[in-house]
Amino acid sequence: MGVPVCKYCGQPMSRWKTPPMTNWEAEWFWVCFNDECTYFQQGWEWMMSRFHVSSSYRYRIDPGTGEDGPLPVWSGQALRSGIIEEKDDE
Ligand SMILES: [Zn+2]
């Protein structure tokens, strides 16, 4: 299976390593890190209007279960350090 594309923006998703202090079973998730993604962009407005907080979320897929959902982020740069670079030979 190749790299999945985000169902909101159609861009290839990135592997993102889950932090050690979480209860997620997966070692990594597919995450859409496209800042132009409508899911990510509309998240800011949604969170501000509902909860009055400046945060958003990115589209995420669990590679093990196929489950998808939001990954909360507090800025455009947040969580980027966890992105796993794809190797050319894969
Ligand atoms: Zn996207």
Side-chain angles (χ1 to χ4, degrees), residues 2-78:
V3 176
V5 295
C6 173
K7 70 178 178 185
Y8 294 94
C9 65
Q11 293 296 308
M13 296 175 76
S14 305
R15 283 179 224 254
W16 176 76
K17 198 174 186 335
T18 53
M21 300 299 284
T22 64
N23 51 13
W24 284 315
E25 283 185 26
E27 274 179 43
W28 55 272
F29 289 137
W30 290 114
V31 178
C32 174
F33 275 98
N34 176 15
D35 287 337
E36 309 294 311
C37 184
T38 53
Y39 189 72
F40 174 66
Q41 291 203 327
Q42 288 172 7
W44 297 106
E45 260 175 61
W46 196 90
M47 292 298 286
M48 187 53 82
S49 64
R50 301 301 194 289
F51 301 110
H52 302 282
V53 293
S54 180
S55 73
S56 184
Y57 34 77
R58 294 184 183 277
Y59 181 57
R60 169 184 72 83
I61 299 175
D62 184 322
T65 64
E67 241 175 82
D68 62 358
L71 177 69
V73 290
W74 54 94
S75 79
Q77 289 303 310

